[in-house]
């Protein structure tokens, strides 16, 4: 059940128009959780598999000629867990190195990948995963997300957006001129949503909450593991981050954008979205929320 929601500040700096709790913010890399759940839904229904090679499918869909032979062996599990071998591609996504998500994917797939090199967080993994979802379904990525995840949850109004576009119920993050990161990130970071939307999505893969579940119990458990091993989950799983104390969720960071969602083992799940330059790190939202919970629910 919803315990608390609140909004503070202005929708657009300098206007005096207050933010509403139902306004949508850029959620940045929390978009990866949306993409991951959608991809795993396609694994559930047999459209995709976790461990069969998919690199050639994406290359063909983009009309490319394959260069690095390791590209062909990329799997959905590797894309979900940031183990496909892509470098970070900061210039591609944040310095106008590409013009769109598909263009960014072409650049990533035309260069060498370090197959078998282990975990390396890269927006390229999820940018390519978004293209794969389109190649596997013959539909746009946004439509697949809507059909597989948002509509079953009863969510509407979430949308992919460009860097400078601002809808009537959206909060400005005041990007500096001549940027195009929202266009290039695509499935890795371009969704707008409310904190309540984000909590509803994370609840759909939380086995300890009621309501509609996006995945089978087997796949729901797998989400927290990069590669299933004996013992507790740790690090980056399949579209979520495991934190100390058996908490899990994801963060999101873009220019003047900070977001975080966290499932706590005490039964509380929370999400915070911020447009502005504070805090300096999205991970600080957890300590801010800890302080807020301690003040709101003091122990005797």
């Amino acid at each position: 059940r919803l315990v608390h929601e609140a909004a503070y500040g202005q929708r657009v700096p300098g206007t005096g128009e207050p933010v509403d709790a139902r306004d949508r913010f850029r959620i940045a890399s929390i978009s990866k959780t949306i993409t991951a759940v959608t991809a795993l839904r396609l694994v559930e229904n047999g459209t995709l598999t976790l461990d069969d090679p998919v690199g050639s499918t994406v290359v063909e869909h983009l009309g490319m000629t394959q260069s690095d032979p390791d590209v062909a062996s990329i799997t959905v599990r590797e894309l979900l867990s940031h183990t496909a071998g892509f470098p970070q591609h900061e210039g591609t996504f944040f310095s106008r190195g590409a013009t769109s998500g598909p263009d960014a994917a072409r650049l990533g797939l035309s260069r060498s990948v370090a197959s078998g090199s282990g975990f390396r967080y890269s927006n390229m993994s999820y940018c390519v995963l978004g293209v794969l979802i389109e190649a596997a379904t013959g539909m746009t990525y946004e439509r697949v997300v809507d059909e597989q995840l948002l509509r079953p949850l009863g969510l509407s109004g979430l949308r992919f957006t460009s860097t400078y576009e601002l809808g009537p119920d959206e909060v400005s993050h005041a990007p500096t001129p001549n940027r195009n990161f929202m266009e290039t990130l695509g499935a890795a970071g371009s969704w707008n949503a409310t904190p309540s939307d984000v909590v509803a999505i994370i609840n759909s893969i939380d086995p300890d909450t009621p309501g509609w579940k996006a995945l089978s119990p087997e796949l729901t458990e797998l989400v927290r593991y990069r590669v299933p091993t004996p013992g507790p989950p740790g690090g980056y799983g399949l579209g979520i981050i495991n934190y100390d104390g058996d908490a899990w969720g994801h963060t999101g960071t873009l220019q003047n954008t900070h977001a975080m969602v966290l499932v706590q083992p005490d039964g509380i799940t929370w999400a915070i979205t911020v447009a502005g330059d504070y805090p300096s790190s999205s991970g600080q939202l957890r300590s801010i929320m800890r302080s807020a919970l301690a003040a709101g629910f003091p122990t005797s």
Side-chain angles (χ1 to χ4, degrees), residues 138-156:
M139 297 186 291
T140 65
Y141 162 81
E142 298 98 305
R143 180 178 172 187
V144 180
V145 172
D146 183 61
E147 290 187 358
Q148 293 292 329
L149 181 60
L150 304 184
R151 203 179 302 171
L153 283 171
L155 298 179
S156 61

Side-chain angles (χ1 to χ4, degrees), residues 7-198:
Y8 309 92
Q10 302 176 55
R11 285 191 63 252
V12 180
T15 65
E17 182 183 355
V19 175
D20 184 87
R22 295 298 170 178
D23 285 340
R24 291 178 172 81
F25 290 70
R26 267 72 169 162
I27 61 170
S29 285
I30 295 177
S31 299
K32 292 180 175 67
T33 303
I34 293 175
T35 301
V37 177
T38 302
L40 289 168
R41 289 270 292 166
L42 297 179
V43 169
E44 195 91 76
N45 68 26
T47 303
L48 293 173
T49 63
L50 273 175
D51 297 309
D52 289 333
V54 295
S56 296
T57 299
V58 181
V59 167
E60 181 179 344
H61 181 76
L62 292 171
M64 298 173 58
T65 300
Q66 193 167 298
S67 52
D68 184 350
D70 284 338
V71 165
S73 65
I74 291 171
T75 67
V76 170
R77 188 192 300 272
E78 290 172 341
L79 293 172
L80 288 168
S81 60
H82 297 284
T83 58
F86 289 113
Q88 288 190 317
H89 283 277
E90 292 294 297
T92 300
F93 293 106
F94 300 109
S95 298
R96 300 189 67 82
T99 59
S100 66
D103 186 42
R106 288 186 187 94
L107 288 171
L109 294 166
S110 66
R111 301 172 186 174
S112 295
V113 297
S115 178
S117 59
F119 173 80
R120 185 173 188 181
Y121 188 92
S122 176
N123 287 304
M124 188 59 71
S125 290
Y126 276 76
C127 177
V128 169
L129 188 57
V131 175
L132 174 64
I133 287 170
E134 294 191 339
T137 62
M139 297 186 291
T140 65
Y141 162 81
E142 298 98 305
R143 180 178 172 187
V144 180
V145 172
D146 183 61
E147 290 187 358
Q148 293 292 329
L149 181 60
L150 304 184
R151 203 179 302 171
L153 283 171
L155 298 179
S156 61
L158 288 81
R159 70 184 187 103
F160 245 32
T161 187
S162 63
T163 304
Y164 299 100
E165 189 178 3
L166 188 66
D169 60 349
E170 294 172 352
V171 179
S172 172
H173 66 130
T176 54
N178 201 32
R179 305 297 300 276
N180 71 338
F181 45 80
M182 297 293 284
E183 290 84 348
T184 55
L185 284 167
S190 295
W191 282 100
N192 270 15
T194 70
S196 295
D197 293 335
V198 172

